[in-house]
Amino acid sequence: MLTHRCVMFVAKANNPPLAAVLITAASALLAGTTLLAKALGTDTLGPALHPMQISHGRFLFAFLVIVTAVGVMRPRLQRPHWGLHIGRTSFGWAGITLMFASVAFIPIADATAISFLNPVFAMVLAISLLKEGVGPWRWLAAAVALAGALILLRPTPASFQPAALLALSAAAIIGMELIFIKKLSGREIPIQILLINNAMGLTIASVAVSFVFQMPTPEQWAALVAIGVLMACAQACFVNGMARADASFVAPISYATLIFAAFYDFAIFGVIPDGISMIGSAIILTGGLILVWREARARQA
C-alpha cells in the first residue's frame, strides 16, 4: 500500500467540492499544455518544432516530475501488466502527438472540442473489444457528438479544415487508449500507472524525435519543460479528483478545458471563436453530457 505521503495520488474520503476544484485545476493545466504546444508548433517562440519533438518534451519532463515524486513518496509498487501498459502508452503517444500537431493549424478550442469525442470512440470500441452492450441513449449521444465534430470540420470546399482531421484522429486513438486504461484500472495503483506510462512514452518519443530533432531556443526549452510539468500536475489532479467523487459528477466539470482553451487562445493569439466553432462545440458537449447522464443512470440501476 502507499505511504501517507502519497497525497497527490491517493484518494481520501469522498469529497465532491474538493473533486470539483481538482478537476477544474486539471482542466486549466491541460488547456495550458495545448497552448504551449501551439506556441511551439508555430514560430511564436522560434522556428516551429515538429509535433514529435513537442510530445518528446511532454514525456521527458513529465517523467522527471513523476519519478521525483516516486523517489520522495516511496510507494510500494506492484508487478505491472506489461502488455496493457505497452498498448496504453503506444496509443497515448500517438494521440497526444496528433493533438499537438492539430493545434498549430486550427484554434485550440476547436481541437479541444474534437478531443472530447474520445469517450465516444471508446464506447464504440468497447462493443467489440470489451463485449459491452450499448443502448439507444449511448448511440444517441455518439450521434450528437459526431454531428458536432462534423460541423467543426466545416465540410465545404471553401471552409474545410484538413488539420481538424488530425484532432479527429487523435480523439479516435485516445479512445483506444481509454480501453487499455479501463483494463488497467483497479489492477495497479495510480502512481505506478503514471510512472510506467511516462517511462514508456519517453522511450517511444525518444526514438521518434531522433529523426526530426532540432535544437530549441531557450524560450522553447522553457515551454517544453512547462508542458511536461503541467501535464504531470494535470494527471495528478485528475486522478485525485476522479477518486474523490462519482464519475458522473466529475466528467462534466472536465469540459471546462474547452473554456480555458478558448480563453488562452484569445488572450495569447487573439483568436475569437466564430459561430461555427461555438455551435459545433456546444453540440459535442451536449453529446458528451448525454453519455455522462446515461452512464450515471446505468450505474444506479
Side-chain angles (χ1 to χ4, degrees), residues 182-264:
K182 188 167 185 177
K183 288 191 172 186
L184 273 171
S185 135
R187 288 173 176 259
E188 301 173 25
I189 56 177
I191 192 171
Q192 175 172 309
I193 294 174
L194 293 178
L195 176 65
I196 294 175
N197 168 241
N198 283 278
M200 286 186 170
L202 176 58
T203 303
I204 296 171
S206 296
V207 174
V209 78
S210 64
F211 298 99
V212 298
F213 182 83
Q214 66 186 59
M215 184 56 66
T217 65
E219 294 81 4
Q220 288 174 330
W221 274 121
L224 289 169
V225 171
I227 283 181
V229 173
L230 290 179
M231 185 64 77
C233 293
Q235 288 177 323
C237 288
F238 188 78
V239 165
N240 276 277
M242 287 292 290
R244 286 176 166 84
D246 292 340
S248 57
F249 173 80
V250 165
I253 300 173
S254 67
Y255 291 141
T257 305
L258 181 59
I259 298 173
F260 287 111
F263 173 74
Y264 295 159

Side-chain angles (χ1 to χ4, degrees), residues 261-286:
F263 173 74
Y264 295 159
D265 216 6
F266 169 73
I268 305 300
F269 297 102
V271 176
I272 301 176
D274 59 17
I276 294 177
S277 293
M278 295 177 69
I279 292 171
S281 299
I283 293 175
I284 289 177
L285 292 180
T286 299

Side-chain angles (χ1 to χ4, degrees), residues 137-187:
W137 279 103
R138 289 180 176 178
W139 282 119
L140 174 63
V144 170
L146 289 172
L150 185 62
I151 291 173
L152 287 179
L153 289 174
R154 295 168 169 81
T156 65
S159 60
F160 176 62
Q161 299 185 101
L165 294 175
L166 294 173
L168 189 63
S169 300
I173 290 171
I174 293 173
M176 187 64 193
E177 181 193 14
L178 292 178
I179 298 295
F180 285 95
I181 291 175
K182 188 167 185 177
K183 288 191 172 186
L184 273 171
S185 135
R187 288 173 176 259

